[in-house]
Amino acid sequence: MGHGALAQEPALRFGYSTYGIPGLIDMPAARAAPDAELTYVISHFQNQTRNTLTFQITPRLSGSFRYALLYDVRVNDLSVVEPFRFDRSFSLQYQLLDEGTWRPGVAIGLNDFLGTGLYGSEYVVASKTLRRDLRVTAGLGWGRLAGVGGFRNPLAVFDDRFAQRDDTRSGFGGQVETGGWFRGDAALFGGVEWQATDRLRLIAEYSSDAYPNEDGSAFDRRSPLNIGLSYQISPGWTLGANYLYGSEVGVQVGYALNPRNPPGGSGYDPAPYPVRPRAQDAAAAASWDIAPADARRAEAATARALTAQGLGLHGYALAGRVLRIEVENPSYVVAAQAVGRAGRVLTGTAPAGVDTFEIVLVQSGLPVTQVTLRRADMEALEHEVDGAWSSFARAQIADAGPGTAPRDGLYPRLDWGLEPYIAPSFFDPDAPLRADVGVALSARFEPAPGLVFAANLRQRLAGNLGDATRPALSDLPRVRSESNIYDKADPAITRLTGAWYFHPGDDLFGRVTLGYLEPMFGGVSAELLWKPNAGRFALGAEVNHVLQRDFDQMLGFRDYEITTGHLSAYWDMGAGYRSQLDVGRYLAGDWGATLALDRTFDNGWRIGAFATLTDVPFDDFGEGSFDKGIRISVPVNWITGRPTLDRTDLTIRPVWRDGGARLDVEGRLYEVVNDAQGAELRDGWGRFWR
């Protein structure tokens, strides 16, 4: 085939298996998805429905959470068939080698390493593209992937212990059992993919999965050969159909998105205020005194222009050639964009004698960061090719220090709203989806800078969150396992608090919150955070004394009372990765630590996972063994393209129990101040001129 013909061949598309991991049909493949891709795959064939959420955590590492609906399945005791069960599991795949001219790509993976072990397996797999439209895959599997054609483990040549695989599955699930990894018999699997057209991919594979827990009752497994097709409906949607194991027809649907690629492109922000260079004689004007009336007119013009840009003027102070303004940013997820727009406004509204702008970002009435800009730089760099980099290099970013007196008439102020709400719960042990919908009345009253009173009252109109009935079987205080009873409250005061935010010293921030702190607990919470503006490390301390609220979520309390608290360490690891370690006492009186790892994006997306281990034994904790989960936060402006700080937060917990439960206080300091500080400003400075 000549080069001209080869150029016409469609390029192979990336695919996900029925398990929702990079793969063929049922078997894995050695390919990584585009970095940061987030994919949801639902697949079904006889007695099997798998829902899988997969995230490309790094360019080489992907992680998957799977929620399967299984009928007629054998668990633990293979002689007993359960009519139905929900099964939760996690998978990881790491791309060891990228494909080269002669070298195949190689990946290693773990399936169900943190669950009941029903899908427990490990593998090493290699994939090679023979031409643009043709790829072959071959792999070696252990555990469940060694059920067909198994042979003695090759790793046994290094240690005889690799020859034996013990069943380490726990009845509670959730435990990491490393003792069985890559042990016992091994088996080969493989397959081939052909991109028949730009949209249609055909797949054939040899599967080493014997389906020992499912086969026999209603699933007739006759052959290890599977064939399938995958059709790209649109850039995000994929539809697949498979003929499996010589007897079953299956279908699957996948949807993929990438947080880096908003559907609205660069968005629909209002046009930025134009930079207005001073007249040629501005240098002479710099020596003139500014009349008070002129200063007041300049302040009013600045306030109007900032409002038109979606910003608020909190404070205004003019001292000689330096103008300091405090800016509230209710619109832009990237704080650098708010700074840039404020700087643009000042070029047109500041008196001609001003040559330095000090722009202070204010959060909850608390001055957080001061960005100092030279007016001449704003005038000179707007249309420069490297204007973003040059403006950042010339800017000075520092802790804000003491605040400027707020503008006359700004306080007290009251904001309120009535809007619909939806409160979902995904993939709990008894149901894939529960949700309540209703209306929420919210109010925020600020009598002075840093002092915030907030309330939220919900009226549920429909839903089934309160229908969850799974009991907690441990002897721990019921601090979370009775959440379904709280969900029945109608109406409900979900929060009613007063909070004071203050700045006790350089790089120090403080918070005290009093009231009904969350749906299940009320009391007092105090926090102190040390966070240098330019640093990537922060330390915090929080102490809370709380009482358990009545089930009706009104004003009463139950007879459970406890003091909790944590010491916290935060580390911005760079490249969008962030970690947090909290060590202390939890709501059930247990002591331990929570480790959270998140990937953040400049546009506001956050995707991460957390795990908590305390002194509660796994058996006492109950199902799940310890608290863990996945959290996703999506900025609304990513979807709509309109500037707003609103976001949708989702936490997926395989199971919610009483051990490792932490108080849910709104307005914790790290989240209040971090997005407006130096590291985040630097990472988002590309939007300074937007």
Side-chain angles (χ1 to χ4, degrees), residues 428-451:
D428 78 17
D430 293 318
L433 174 65
R434 298 185 194 275
D436 282 350
V437 295
V439 293
L441 175 64
S442 60
R444 180 183 175 95
F445 176 60
E446 298 178 71
L451 189 58

Side-chain angles (χ1 to χ4, degrees), residues 409-435:
L410 190 62
Y411 292 95
R413 56 185 176 180
L414 172 67
D415 295 306
W416 67 277
L418 182 66
E419 57 187 9
Y421 78 88
I422 179 169
S425 171
F426 294 95
F427 307 137
D428 78 17
D430 293 318
L433 174 65
R434 298 185 194 275

Side-chain angles (χ1 to χ4, degrees), residues 173-526:
Q175 300 182 30
V176 180
E177 302 287 358
T178 62
W181 289 0
F182 300 97
R183 300 196 178 205
D185 285 351
L188 296 172
F189 61 86
V192 59
E193 303 165 80
W194 175 44
Q195 193 73 38
T197 70
D198 286 340
R199 294 176 179 267
L200 179 63
R201 184 170 59 98
L202 303 179
I203 315 109
E205 71 174 11
Y206 173 89
S207 170
S208 58
D209 188 345
Y211 277 77
N213 297 76
E214 299 88 349
D215 197 9
S217 299
F219 171 30
D220 186 11
R221 187 186 186 285
R222 301 173 184 172
S223 168
L225 300 178
N226 299 323
I227 57 174
L229 61 86
S230 174
Y231 188 78
Q232 191 83 24
I233 302 173
S234 69
W237 290 93
T238 303
L239 178 65
N242 306 307
Y243 183 64
L244 298 151
Y245 302 104
S247 62
E248 306 298 340
V249 174
V251 295
Q252 78 181 61
V253 178
Y255 176 70
L257 61 83
N258 197 306
R260 292 172 167 172
N261 305 322
S266 59
Y268 308 101
D269 298 346
Y273 197 92
V275 171
R276 297 179 183 267
R278 291 169 292 180
Q280 294 294 328
D281 59 353
S287 62
W288 302 345
D289 289 333
I290 301 172
D294 292 337
R296 288 194 294 271
R297 282 193 292 271
E299 178 180 343
T302 300
R304 289 193 299 271
L306 288 175
T307 299
Q309 293 291 299
L311 302 171
L313 181 61
H314 186 269
Y316 188 98
L318 183 60
R321 299 186 181 187
V322 179
L323 173 59
R324 173 188 168 102
I325 65 169
E326 292 185 349
V327 176
E328 295 176 311
N329 171 29
S331 301
Y332 301 103
V333 171
V334 181
Q337 186 174 1
V339 173
R341 294 202 168 211
R344 283 173 172 269
V345 164
L346 293 181
T347 64
T349 64
V354 172
D355 54 23
T356 301
F357 303 147
E358 294 178 348
I359 300 171
V360 177
L361 294 172
V362 174
Q363 304 280 79
S364 297
L366 189 67
V368 176
T369 297
Q370 176 177 300
V371 181
T372 303
L373 305 171
R374 292 176 62 242
R375 188 174 192 164
D377 294 334
M378 295 291 299
E379 294 169 340
L381 298 175
E382 180 185 16
H383 300 297
E384 291 295 314
V385 174
D386 63 346
W389 163 249
S390 297
S391 61
F392 176 75
R394 301 182 192 186
Q396 299 177 31
I397 302 174
D399 186 69
T404 299
R407 298 183 64 221
D408 292 342
L410 190 62
Y411 292 95
R413 56 185 176 180
L414 172 67
D415 295 306
W416 67 277
L418 182 66
E419 57 187 9
Y421 78 88
I422 179 169
S425 171
F426 294 95
F427 307 137
D428 78 17
D430 293 318
L433 174 65
R434 298 185 194 275
D436 282 350
V437 295
V439 293
L441 175 64
S442 60
R444 180 183 175 95
F445 176 60
E446 298 178 71
L451 189 58
V452 180
F453 293 91
N456 187 276
L457 175 67
R458 284 185 172 183
Q459 174 63 57
R460 182 169 60 91
L461 300 179
N464 60 353
L465 281 181
D467 294 345
T469 58
R470 202 172 189 89
L473 302 178
S474 73
D475 294 328
L476 296 173
R478 302 289 193 263
V479 296
R480 292 300 188 213
S481 58
E482 293 178 328
S483 62
N484 63 304
I485 305 178
Y486 285 94
D487 290 330
K488 296 177 187 293
D490 195 14
I493 300 172
T494 57
R495 275 188 174 85
L496 181 60
T497 59
W500 176 41
Y501 296 90
F502 55 98
H503 205 330
D506 292 345
D507 301 324
L508 287 175
F509 303 90
R511 171 189 61 82
V512 177
T513 307
L514 177 69
Y516 298 89
L517 303 172
E518 54 149 271
M520 301 184 207
F521 283 90
V524 61
S525 171

Side-chain angles (χ1 to χ4, degrees), residues 7-29:
Q8 301 304 311
E9 294 166 355
L12 269 165
R13 291 186 176 271
F14 181 84
Y16 290 90
S17 74
T18 62
Y19 286 93
I21 65 175
L24 304 168
I25 300 174
D26 238 13
M27 297 293 104

